[in-house]
Amino acid sequence: MVSKRTTVRDLRRHNRSLLLSKLYFDGPLSRHELSRLTGLSAATVSNVTAELGEERLITEAGLVESDGGRPRVLLRVDPAYGHVAGVDIGETGVRVELFDLAMQRLALVEHELSPARTEPGAVVAAVVSGLREVIATAEVEESAVLGVGVGVPGTVEQGERVLVHAPTIGWDAVALGEELRAAGIDLPLFIDNGAKTQGQAEMWFGAGRGARHAVIVLIGSGVGAAVIADGVTYRGSTSSAGEWGHTTIVYGGQACRCGSHGCLEAYIGAEAILERYRRARGKPAGGDNEQDQLAALLGAVPKSKTAQKVIEETAGYLGAGIANLINLFNPERIVVGGWVGLALGEDLLPLVRSTAAAHALRHPFGQTTIRLAQLGLDAVATGAATLPVADLLEQGADPRLRAKSADRTGVA
């Protein structure tokens, strides 16, 4: 076995990454605190923070009293250093958001997509238009954007070419990065599955914060999950891990959009819930789109036994699906997100929990908490925008300073 020798360059990058990450998540901190928390020597901390300060990556953030000596200077990552964009490509629309480096949203734009307009060309046009709009609205220069993160409703295959497999919108091995570049986007690109970007957002800023082992589930038109093992998103050999919606919940059951039968998505995805209600009621729920129709269904629950039964069945299938996650991954926390998951809300969580308890092994269930996501409908785009931030923290250097020709995916 060939061992990899650690170089001075590797050590420098490690130290920059360690200090930047600590300041980003836990700052402001003094140099003394940084040394204590990271284990780096005072001299190393002084040298590296001086370097980061010269590059304007970090800035002073006031003073704190010390024990008998001069007040210590507090440091933090400078929110004004640059901006990041997050894109949520959904089945019914494209959402584009622009943030500063502290993840404060500066601008938002949404473009609706009809089922007939989810071909790659139309989606790319919506993304490019959205990016230009948020940059103009925030009145920043494009050169000030560190990178663009994109969350997609499908599997993102890593390799020399970044390929998106999203059968629910008719995509098969779409080279999304190449198409965005051909359409004029010259910023660093980071493309990942939408459930995974939501997972990263909730782990950084939301209901997953502080957990080392968690599963963040996304329930919308589609269904997916981000599996977090020891603080790292598990991806599998080709980045398709987490396709929870396409695990079988009923053998030989309902047809799924993926082409199989009995998938969990065919029972708890928006389309499946609404179709079950339509069959039981004899006519569809009122509303022009899935969000409005689900809202009408939920609004009918107090006065309609049919609506109540459909929603209770949905909670049961969701609970059984969560039990499978508990038995497979033994997480300390499960977070339920996505627009359908949030619409089902706190009222159904007791039924979801009791169903999960009935189907999961007793000991791992007892170690797991189940809660709703905290970041709302922004979670996928917010998580996508964290991808260039994560790259900055991991590499200890600005993504714009490295080659822009290769798309980056799955940064965690």
Side-chain angles (χ1 to χ4, degrees):
M1 184 175 69
V2 178
S3 62
K4 182 179 178 181
R5 185 165 58 92
T6 301
T7 65
V8 172
R9 182 179 179 181
D10 293 333
L11 185 60
R12 175 177 174 271
R13 188 181 75 175
H14 168 78
N15 291 342
R16 286 171 60 96
S17 171
L18 185 59
L19 291 172
L20 270 176
S21 297
K22 185 57 66 177
L23 286 171
Y24 189 81
F25 291 111
D26 301 323
L29 296 167
S30 68
R31 291 176 177 84
H32 176 77
E33 289 172 315
L34 284 170
S35 179
R36 178 174 56 83
L37 293 170
T38 63
L40 297 176
S41 70
T44 297
V45 170
S46 180
N47 290 336
V48 174
T49 55
E51 184 179 85
L52 294 172
E54 289 175 3
E55 297 171 19
R56 298 187 178 181
L57 261 169
I58 65 174
T59 187
E60 294 184 0
L63 301 172
V64 64
E65 294 296 327
S66 62
D67 298 330
R70 291 183 301 174
R72 292 177 177 143
V73 175
L74 292 174
L75 302 172
R76 64 170 179 167
V77 174
D78 190 350
Y81 174 78
H83 302 81
V84 289
V87 179
D88 175 6
I89 296 176
E91 297 181 27
T92 59
V94 170
R95 183 185 187 100
V96 184
E97 303 187 30
L98 189 73
F99 302 83
D100 66 16
L101 205 53
M103 296 306 297
Q104 297 297 312
R105 191 176 73 192
L106 304 176
L108 159 69
V109 67
E110 293 182 283
H111 290 291
E112 290 188 4
L113 296 172
S114 69
R117 293 188 64 251
T118 56
E119 71 275 6
V123 173
V124 166
V127 171
V128 172
S129 174
L131 282 170
R132 289 175 177 158
E133 288 176 63
V134 293
I135 289 171
T137 299
E139 297 182 338
V140 303
E141 297 294 327
E142 184 173 317
S143 60
V145 179
L146 306 184
V148 179
V150 184
V152 298
T155 299
V156 178
E157 181 182 352
Q158 299 187 50
E160 292 185 7
R161 301 177 74 213
V162 178
L163 302 176
V164 179
H165 306 273
T168 56
I169 58 173
W171 289 17
D172 182 18
V174 171
L176 181 59
E178 293 178 12
E179 298 211 15
L180 287 169
R181 298 227 179 277
I185 300 301
D186 193 37
L187 296 164
L189 288 171
F190 303 79
I191 302 170
D192 205 350
N193 168 266
K196 291 184 174 67
T197 70
Q198 175 196 255
Q200 181 150 297
E202 290 289 342
M203 291 299 291
W204 279 26
F205 308 115
R209 188 170 172 85
R212 298 294 297 172
H213 298 271
V215 182
I216 318 295
V217 305
L218 184 152
I219 309 168
S221 300
V223 176
V227 178
I228 314 300
D230 200 22
V232 177
T233 301
Y234 178 71
R235 299 185 175 279
S237 61
T238 59
S239 297
S240 71
E243 289 292 341
W244 176 56
H246 300 292
T247 57
T248 302
I249 198 78
V250 178
Y251 173 71
Q254 295 288 340
C256 181
R257 299 182 302 170
C258 73
S260 187
H261 289 78
C263 295
L264 182 63
E265 184 177 299
Y267 292 86
I268 68 170
E271 182 180 304
I273 298 170
L274 294 170
E275 174 59 20
R276 205 158 60 245
Y277 184 53
R278 185 197 64 78
R279 290 199 307 266
R281 185 173 178 243
K283 60 180 179 178
D288 296 329
N289 53 51
E290 287 184 341
Q291 287 88 341
D292 292 343
Q293 291 169 358
L294 185 64
L297 166 55
L298 290 169
V301 168
K303 55 184 181 292
S304 166
K305 290 185 177 180
T306 299
Q308 182 180 5
K309 180 181 178 182
V310 168
I311 293 303
E312 287 179 350
E313 286 176 347
T314 301
Y317 286 123
L318 174 56
I322 285 176
N324 290 338
L325 294 174
I326 292 170
N327 290 342
L328 281 170
F329 300 111
N330 187 27
E332 62 191 281
R333 193 175 303 167
I334 290 179
V335 177
V336 179
W339 68 267
V340 171
L342 294 173
L344 295 176
E346 290 284 354
D347 290 345
L348 281 180
L349 275 186
L351 179 54
V352 171
R353 290 190 183 104
S354 64
T355 306
H359 290 82
L361 294 171
R362 185 167 60 89
H363 178 71
F365 176 80
Q367 311 306 308
T368 304
T369 59
I370 303 170
R371 61 181 65 172
L372 284 184
Q374 294 178 348
L375 300 182
L377 300 181
D378 282 338
V380 173
T382 300
T386 68
L387 299 181
V389 178
D391 185 77
L392 169 69
L393 300 179
E394 181 180 324
Q395 300 297 326
D398 191 324
R400 294 170 296 186
L401 302 179
R402 299 194 301 279
K404 295 181 180 180
S405 58
D407 300 330
R408 304 165 186 87
T409 65
V411 180

